[in-house]
Amino acid sequence: MGSFLTPVMVRTALDVGLIYAIVALSLFISFSILNICDLSTDGCFTLGCAVAAVVTMAGHPLLAIPAAMAAGVLSGSVTALLQTKLGVPSILAGIIVNTGIYTVNLGVMGFSSNISIFGTDTIFSLWGKLFENTPLSEWSRSILLLLLIVLICLLLNWFLKTRIGLSIRATGDSMDMVRASSIDPSFMIIVGLCCSNALTGLAGALFANYNKSADINLGTGMVTIALAALIIGETLFGKRRMPFRIAGVVIGSCLYRFMISIALRLNAPTEAFKLVSALIVAIAIAAPEAKRALALHRRKKAAMRRRKEKGGSAC
Protein backbone atom coordinates (compact mmCIF):
# COMPACT_ATOMS: atom_id res chain seq x y z
CA MET A 1 0.00 0.00 0.00
CA GLY A 2 2.83 2.39 0.86
CA SER A 3 4.52 2.00 -2.53
CA PHE A 4 1.27 1.87 -4.48
CA LEU A 5 -0.33 4.88 -2.80
CA THR A 6 1.86 7.84 -1.94
CA PRO A 7 1.77 9.19 1.64
CA VAL A 8 -0.12 12.25 0.39
CA MET A 9 -2.77 10.07 -1.26
CA VAL A 10 -3.11 7.94 1.87
CA ARG A 11 -3.43 11.04 4.06
CA THR A 12 -5.99 12.65 1.74
CA ALA A 13 -8.04 9.44 1.45
CA LEU A 14 -8.06 9.10 5.24
CA ASP A 15 -9.05 12.73 5.79
CA VAL A 16 -11.87 12.74 3.25
CA GLY A 17 -12.99 9.30 4.43
CA LEU A 18 -13.29 10.59 8.00
CA ILE A 19 -15.31 13.62 6.85
CA TYR A 20 -17.61 11.39 4.81
CA ALA A 21 -17.89 9.09 7.83
CA ILE A 22 -19.76 11.87 9.63
CA VAL A 23 -22.29 11.95 6.78
CA ALA A 24 -22.51 8.16 6.95
CA LEU A 25 -23.20 8.40 10.71
CA SER A 26 -25.93 10.90 9.87
CA LEU A 27 -27.48 8.40 7.48
CA PHE A 28 -27.00 5.71 10.13
CA ILE A 29 -29.39 7.63 12.40
CA SER A 30 -32.01 8.33 9.72
CA PHE A 31 -31.77 5.18 7.59
CA SER A 32 -30.68 2.41 9.98
CA ILE A 33 -32.14 3.65 13.27
CA LEU A 34 -35.28 5.58 12.23
CA ASN A 35 -35.85 3.58 9.02
CA ILE A 36 -36.33 6.82 7.07
CA CYS A 37 -34.76 7.53 3.70
CA ASP A 38 -33.67 11.17 4.03
CA LEU A 39 -32.83 12.44 0.53
CA SER A 40 -32.18 15.99 1.77
CA THR A 41 -28.62 14.99 2.75
CA ASP A 42 -27.10 16.32 -0.50
CA GLY A 43 -28.51 19.80 0.00
CA CYS A 44 -27.84 19.83 3.75
CA PHE A 45 -24.18 18.98 3.18
CA THR A 46 -23.85 21.90 0.76
CA LEU A 47 -25.68 24.12 3.26
CA GLY A 48 -23.10 23.24 5.90
CA CYS A 49 -20.31 24.05 3.45
CA ALA A 50 -21.85 27.39 2.51
CA VAL A 51 -22.62 28.54 6.06
CA ALA A 52 -19.18 27.52 7.33
CA ALA A 53 -17.41 29.25 4.43
CA VAL A 54 -19.31 32.51 4.93
CA VAL A 55 -18.78 32.54 8.72
CA THR A 56 -15.09 31.66 8.26
CA MET A 57 -14.66 34.49 5.76
CA ALA A 58 -16.16 36.83 8.35
CA GLY A 59 -13.24 35.95 10.62
CA HIS A 60 -14.95 33.44 12.92
CA PRO A 61 -13.65 29.98 11.96
CA LEU A 62 -14.53 28.45 15.33
CA LEU A 63 -18.12 29.69 15.12
CA ALA A 64 -18.41 28.18 11.65
CA ILE A 65 -18.87 24.69 13.14
CA PRO A 66 -21.87 25.37 15.43
CA ALA A 67 -23.37 27.68 12.77
CA ALA A 68 -23.26 24.90 10.15
CA MET A 69 -24.71 22.40 12.62
CA ALA A 70 -27.53 24.83 13.48
CA ALA A 71 -28.28 25.20 9.76
CA GLY A 72 -28.39 21.41 9.52
CA VAL A 73 -30.85 21.26 12.42
CA LEU A 74 -33.13 23.73 10.61
CA SER A 75 -32.96 21.65 7.44
CA GLY A 76 -33.73 18.47 9.35
CA SER A 77 -36.64 20.08 11.20
CA VAL A 78 -38.26 21.15 7.91
CA THR A 79 -37.91 17.62 6.52
CA ALA A 80 -39.32 16.13 9.73
CA LEU A 81 -42.26 18.57 9.92
CA LEU A 82 -43.23 17.81 6.33
CA GLN A 83 -43.39 14.12 7.26
CA THR A 84 -45.00 14.31 10.69
CA LYS A 85 -47.35 17.31 10.44
CA LEU A 86 -48.24 17.42 6.74
CA GLY A 87 -48.21 13.69 6.04
CA VAL A 88 -45.66 13.91 3.21
CA PRO A 89 -43.89 10.55 2.59
CA SER A 90 -40.26 10.58 3.74
CA ILE A 91 -38.79 10.21 0.24
CA LEU A 92 -40.91 13.05 -1.14
CA ALA A 93 -40.16 15.23 1.91
CA GLY A 94 -36.42 14.77 1.30
CA ILE A 95 -36.76 15.59 -2.41
CA ILE A 96 -38.80 18.71 -1.65
CA VAL A 97 -36.30 20.00 0.92
CA ASN A 98 -33.33 19.10 -1.29
CA THR A 99 -34.88 21.03 -4.19
CA GLY A 100 -35.78 24.09 -2.14
CA ILE A 101 -32.49 24.20 -0.24
CA TYR A 102 -30.60 24.72 -3.51
CA THR A 103 -31.87 28.31 -3.65
CA VAL A 104 -31.16 28.75 0.06
CA ASN A 105 -27.56 27.65 -0.52
CA LEU A 106 -27.17 30.11 -3.36
CA GLY A 107 -28.54 32.87 -1.13
CA VAL A 108 -26.11 31.99 1.67
CA MET A 109 -23.21 32.24 -0.80
CA GLY A 110 -24.42 35.61 -2.11
CA PHE A 111 -25.98 34.03 -5.21
CA SER A 112 -22.59 32.84 -6.38
CA SER A 113 -22.03 29.24 -7.40
CA ASN A 114 -18.79 29.04 -5.37
CA ILE A 115 -16.77 30.98 -2.85
CA SER A 116 -13.15 30.67 -1.78
CA ILE A 117 -11.73 31.09 1.72
CA PHE A 118 -8.04 30.90 0.76
CA GLY A 119 -5.94 33.29 2.83
CA THR A 120 -8.39 33.03 5.75
CA ASP A 121 -7.74 31.14 8.98
CA THR A 122 -9.69 27.88 9.22
CA ILE A 123 -10.08 25.43 12.08
CA PHE A 124 -7.43 23.28 10.41
CA SER A 125 -4.90 26.10 10.09
CA LEU A 126 -5.49 27.15 13.71
CA TRP A 127 -5.10 23.55 14.89
CA GLY A 128 -2.02 23.10 12.69
CA LYS A 129 -0.20 25.89 14.53
CA LEU A 130 0.01 23.56 17.54
CA PHE A 131 2.11 21.14 15.47
CA GLU A 132 4.42 23.62 13.71
CA ASN A 133 8.03 22.39 13.39
CA THR A 134 7.09 18.92 14.66
CA PRO A 135 7.10 15.54 12.85
CA LEU A 136 3.29 15.51 13.10
CA SER A 137 2.78 18.79 11.23
CA GLU A 138 1.70 17.07 8.00
CA TRP A 139 -0.74 14.85 9.90
CA SER A 140 -2.31 17.63 11.98
CA ARG A 141 -5.55 17.66 9.99
CA SER A 142 -5.86 13.87 10.23
CA ILE A 143 -5.31 14.02 14.01
CA LEU A 144 -8.04 16.65 14.42
CA LEU A 145 -10.49 14.64 12.30
CA LEU A 146 -9.70 11.44 14.20
CA LEU A 147 -10.32 13.18 17.52
CA LEU A 148 -13.62 14.58 16.24
CA ILE A 149 -14.73 11.19 14.91
CA VAL A 150 -13.91 9.47 18.22
CA LEU A 151 -15.83 12.16 20.12
CA ILE A 152 -18.84 11.92 17.77
CA CYS A 153 -18.89 8.11 17.99
CA LEU A 154 -18.75 8.18 21.80
CA LEU A 155 -21.50 10.81 22.01
CA LEU A 156 -23.67 8.96 19.50
CA ASN A 157 -23.26 5.66 21.33
CA TRP A 158 -24.14 7.39 24.62
CA PHE A 159 -27.11 9.25 23.12
CA LEU A 160 -28.65 6.10 21.60
CA LYS A 161 -28.62 4.50 25.06
CA THR A 162 -30.44 7.38 26.75
CA ARG A 163 -34.22 7.41 27.18
CA ILE A 164 -34.73 9.60 24.11
CA GLY A 165 -32.23 7.56 22.10
CA LEU A 166 -33.95 4.30 22.99
CA SER A 167 -37.30 5.87 22.06
CA ILE A 168 -35.87 6.88 18.67
CA ARG A 169 -34.61 3.34 18.11
CA ALA A 170 -38.00 1.94 19.10
CA THR A 171 -39.72 4.35 16.69
CA GLY A 172 -37.68 2.96 13.83
CA ASP A 173 -38.51 -0.62 14.88
CA SER A 174 -42.25 -0.23 15.45
CA MET A 175 -44.09 3.08 15.43
CA ASP A 176 -47.32 1.44 16.64
CA MET A 177 -45.56 -0.04 19.67
CA VAL A 178 -44.08 3.36 20.53
CA ARG A 179 -47.46 5.01 20.20
CA ALA A 180 -48.99 2.36 22.45
CA SER A 181 -46.29 3.17 25.04
CA SER A 182 -47.51 6.80 25.24
CA ILE A 183 -44.45 8.09 23.36
CA ASP A 184 -45.01 10.61 20.56
CA PRO A 185 -43.35 9.08 17.45
CA SER A 186 -43.59 12.40 15.58
CA PHE A 187 -41.43 14.08 18.20
CA MET A 188 -38.92 11.22 18.04
CA ILE A 189 -38.70 11.57 14.24
CA ILE A 190 -38.14 15.32 14.57
CA VAL A 191 -35.37 14.85 17.16
CA GLY A 192 -33.75 12.06 15.14
CA LEU A 193 -33.72 13.97 11.85
CA CYS A 194 -32.47 17.15 13.55
CA CYS A 195 -29.55 15.21 15.07
CA SER A 196 -28.91 13.47 11.76
CA ASN A 197 -28.81 16.68 9.74
CA ALA A 198 -26.71 18.43 12.39
CA LEU A 199 -24.01 15.84 11.66
CA THR A 200 -24.42 16.42 7.92
CA GLY A 201 -23.99 20.16 8.44
CA LEU A 202 -20.89 19.48 10.55
CA ALA A 203 -19.43 17.32 7.77
CA GLY A 204 -20.10 20.08 5.25
CA ALA A 205 -18.38 22.63 7.48
CA LEU A 206 -15.29 20.43 7.85
CA PHE A 207 -15.18 19.80 4.10
CA ALA A 208 -15.37 23.52 3.34
CA ASN A 209 -12.56 24.21 5.81
CA TYR A 210 -10.54 21.31 4.41
CA ASN A 211 -10.90 22.40 0.76
CA LYS A 212 -10.94 26.13 1.66
CA SER A 213 -13.89 26.60 -0.68
CA ALA A 214 -17.59 25.96 -1.04
CA ASP A 215 -19.39 25.03 -4.26
CA ILE A 216 -23.10 24.72 -4.97
CA ASN A 217 -22.63 21.18 -6.31
CA LEU A 218 -20.41 19.81 -3.52
CA GLY A 219 -23.19 17.74 -1.99
CA THR A 220 -24.21 15.98 -5.21
CA GLY A 221 -24.22 12.22 -4.68
CA MET A 222 -23.54 12.47 -0.95
CA VAL A 223 -26.48 10.18 -0.12
CA THR A 224 -25.04 7.49 -2.39
CA ILE A 225 -21.55 7.79 -0.88
CA ALA A 226 -22.87 7.68 2.69
CA LEU A 227 -25.11 4.73 1.88
CA ALA A 228 -22.17 2.85 0.38
CA ALA A 229 -20.08 3.49 3.52
CA LEU A 230 -22.99 2.40 5.70
CA ILE A 231 -23.51 -0.85 3.81
CA ILE A 232 -19.78 -1.64 3.64
CA GLY A 233 -19.63 -1.24 7.43
CA GLU A 234 -22.70 -3.43 8.00
CA THR A 235 -21.28 -6.07 5.62
CA LEU A 236 -18.00 -6.20 7.55
CA PHE A 237 -19.37 -5.97 11.09
CA GLY A 238 -22.97 -7.10 10.74
CA LYS A 239 -25.73 -5.88 13.06
CA ARG A 240 -23.97 -6.48 16.36
CA ARG A 241 -23.86 -4.26 19.44
CA MET A 242 -24.18 -0.54 18.84
CA PRO A 243 -20.47 0.40 19.32
CA PHE A 244 -19.47 -2.12 16.64
CA ARG A 245 -22.12 -0.82 14.24
CA ILE A 246 -20.96 2.76 14.71
CA ALA A 247 -17.30 1.80 14.25
CA GLY A 248 -18.26 -0.17 11.14
CA VAL A 249 -19.76 2.94 9.55
CA VAL A 250 -16.51 4.88 10.05
CA ILE A 251 -14.32 2.05 8.75
CA GLY A 252 -16.66 1.55 5.78
CA SER A 253 -16.35 5.22 4.83
CA CYS A 254 -12.54 5.12 4.97
CA LEU A 255 -12.45 1.91 2.91
CA TYR A 256 -14.67 3.53 0.30
CA ARG A 257 -12.31 6.48 -0.05
CA PHE A 258 -9.30 4.17 -0.33
CA MET A 259 -11.10 2.29 -3.13
CA ILE A 260 -11.58 5.58 -4.95
CA SER A 261 -7.90 6.46 -4.41
CA ILE A 262 -6.82 3.10 -5.83
CA ALA A 263 -9.03 3.69 -8.87
CA LEU A 264 -7.35 7.06 -9.38
CA ARG A 265 -3.94 5.46 -8.93
CA LEU A 266 -4.79 2.95 -11.66
CA ASN A 267 -5.17 5.94 -14.00
CA ALA A 268 -8.89 5.54 -14.49
CA PRO A 269 -9.95 8.28 -16.94
CA THR A 270 -11.66 11.30 -15.43
CA GLU A 271 -14.66 10.70 -17.67
CA ALA A 272 -15.13 7.25 -16.07
CA PHE A 273 -14.82 8.44 -12.46
CA LYS A 274 -18.60 8.56 -11.94
CA LEU A 275 -18.86 5.05 -13.38
CA VAL A 276 -16.16 3.78 -11.00
CA SER A 277 -17.97 5.36 -8.05
CA ALA A 278 -21.27 3.82 -9.17
CA LEU A 279 -19.68 0.37 -9.50
CA ILE A 280 -18.20 0.58 -5.99
CA VAL A 281 -21.57 1.63 -4.59
CA ALA A 282 -23.37 -1.14 -6.52
CA ILE A 283 -20.92 -3.76 -5.24
CA ALA A 284 -21.27 -2.46 -1.68
CA ILE A 285 -25.08 -2.57 -1.86
CA ALA A 286 -25.13 -6.01 -3.52
CA ALA A 287 -22.54 -7.50 -1.15
CA PRO A 288 -24.95 -8.38 1.72
CA GLU A 289 -27.30 -10.20 -0.65
CA ALA A 290 -24.38 -12.00 -2.30
CA LYS A 291 -23.13 -12.97 1.16
CA ARG A 292 -26.55 -14.39 2.08
CA ALA A 293 -26.81 -16.25 -1.25
CA LEU A 294 -23.34 -17.77 -0.73
CA ALA A 295 -24.24 -18.87 2.80
CA LEU A 296 -27.47 -20.44 1.53
CA HIS A 297 -25.56 -22.25 -1.22
CA ARG A 298 -23.12 -23.65 1.36
CA ARG A 299 -25.95 -24.82 3.59
CA LYS A 300 -27.62 -26.57 0.65
CA LYS A 301 -24.36 -28.31 -0.29
CA ALA A 302 -23.84 -29.39 3.33
CA ALA A 303 -27.41 -30.71 3.51
CA MET A 304 -26.98 -32.66 0.25
CA ARG A 305 -23.69 -34.09 1.52
CA ARG A 306 -25.31 -35.24 4.77
CA ARG A 307 -28.20 -36.80 2.81
CA LYS A 308 -25.78 -38.74 0.61
CA GLU A 309 -23.85 -39.92 3.65
CA LYS A 310 -27.06 -41.17 5.27
CA GLY A 311 -28.08 -42.89 2.03
CA GLY A 312 -24.68 -44.60 1.77
CA SER A 313 -24.78 -45.79 5.39
CA ALA A 314 -28.32 -47.18 4.93
CA CYS A 315 -27.11 -49.32 2.04
Side-chain angles (χ1 to χ4, degrees), residues 61-62 121-130:
L62 296 179
D121 277 332
T122 65
I123 57 170
F124 291 109
S125 63
L126 294 175
W127 173 262
K129 291 177 181 178
L130 300 175

Side-chain angles (χ1 to χ4, degrees), residues 195-212:
C195 292
S196 171
N197 282 267
L199 288 179
T200 305
L202 169 61
L206 293 173
F207 198 80
N209 278 265
Y210 188 85
N211 276 348
K212 294 189 176 182

Side-chain angles (χ1 to χ4, degrees), residues 272-289:
F273 184 69
K274 290 285 186 181
L275 177 61
V276 172
S277 300
L279 287 173
I280 293 174
V281 172
I283 292 170
I285 293 174
E289 185 60 34

Side-chain angles (χ1 to χ4, degrees), residues 104-146:
V104 174
N105 292 335
L106 281 175
V108 171
M109 294 192 294
F111 291 96
S112 172
S113 60
N114 57 75
I115 53 177
S116 173
I117 55 177
F118 276 95
T120 306
D121 277 332
T122 65
I123 57 170
F124 291 109
S125 63
L126 294 175
W127 173 262
K129 291 177 181 178
L130 300 175
F131 297 88
E132 283 183 349
N133 303 319
T134 67
L136 296 175
S137 60
E138 293 183 350
W139 289 89
S140 62
R141 293 190 293 186
S142 302
I143 293 171
L144 177 58
L145 289 171
L146 279 170

Side-chain angles (χ1 to χ4, degrees), residues 19-298:
I19 294 174
Y20 284 175
I22 301 176
V23 188
L25 288 171
S26 163
L27 208 65
F28 175 73
I29 297 174
S30 61
F31 185 76
S32 293
I33 301 297
L34 272 174
N35 199 24
I36 291 175
C37 186
D38 184 10
L39 297 182
S40 67
T41 302
D42 290 5
C44 186
F45 182 85
T46 307
L47 178 64
C49 288
V51 170
V54 170
V55 175
T56 301
M57 285 178 63
H60 305 287
L62 296 179
L63 289 177
I65 300 301
M69 293 181 71
V73 169
L74 290 175
S75 173
S77 63
V78 173
T79 307
L81 289 172
L82 284 174
Q83 294 180 46
T84 57
K85 303 303 180 185
L86 300 180
V88 180
S90 61
I91 293 178
L92 290 179
I95 292 173
I96 291 169
V97 173
N98 196 46
T99 303
I101 209 170
Y102 184 88
T103 304
V104 174
N105 292 335
L106 281 175
V108 171
M109 294 192 294
F111 291 96
S112 172
S113 60
N114 57 75
I115 53 177
S116 173
I117 55 177
F118 276 95
T120 306
D121 277 332
T122 65
I123 57 170
F124 291 109
S125 63
L126 294 175
W127 173 262
K129 291 177 181 178
L130 300 175
F131 297 88
E132 283 183 349
N133 303 319
T134 67
L136 296 175
S137 60
E138 293 183 350
W139 289 89
S140 62
R141 293 190 293 186
S142 302
I143 293 171
L144 177 58
L145 289 171
L146 279 170
L147 290 174
L148 286 173
I149 281 290
V150 170
L151 178 61
I152 291 169
C153 290
L154 290 174
L155 288 174
L156 182 58
N157 183 56
W158 167 80
F159 174 71
L160 291 175
K161 291 179 179 178
T162 62
R163 187 168 183 174
I164 294 179
L166 291 172
S167 298
I168 291 173
R169 292 165 67 177
T171 302
D173 290 335
S174 176
M175 199 172 295
D176 293 333
M177 181 190 71
V178 169
R179 195 177 287 111
S181 302
S182 301
I183 299 173
D184 185 5
S186 297
F187 179 71
M188 293 301 120
I189 290 174
I190 292 172
V191 173
L193 287 182
C194 285
C195 292
S196 171
N197 282 267
L199 288 179
T200 305
L202 169 61
L206 293 173
F207 198 80
N209 278 265
Y210 188 85
N211 276 348
K212 294 189 176 182
S213 64
D215 188 274
I216 193 64
N217 296 314
L218 271 177
T220 303
M222 196 55 60
V223 169
T224 308
I225 294 171
L227 186 61
L230 188 62
I231 293 174
I232 290 172
E234 287 187 351
T235 302
L236 293 175
F237 288 82
K239 292 190 175 182
R240 303 180 185 179
R241 295 174 58 190
M242 190 58 66
F244 289 100
R245 294 178 67 185
I246 293 173
V249 173
V250 177
I251 293 172
S253 177
C254 293
L255 285 176
Y256 174 82
R257 283 310 306 176
F258 276 108
M259 291 178 193
I260 295 294
S261 298
I262 291 171
L264 292 173
R265 188 65 174 172
L266 292 173
N267 296 322
T270 308
E271 296 81 2
F273 184 69
K274 290 285 186 181
L275 177 61
V276 172
S277 300
L279 287 173
I280 293 174
V281 172
I283 292 170
I285 293 174
E289 185 60 34
K291 189 177 179 181
R292 281 192 293 269
L294 183 61
L296 179 61
H297 178 68
R298 287 175 177 172

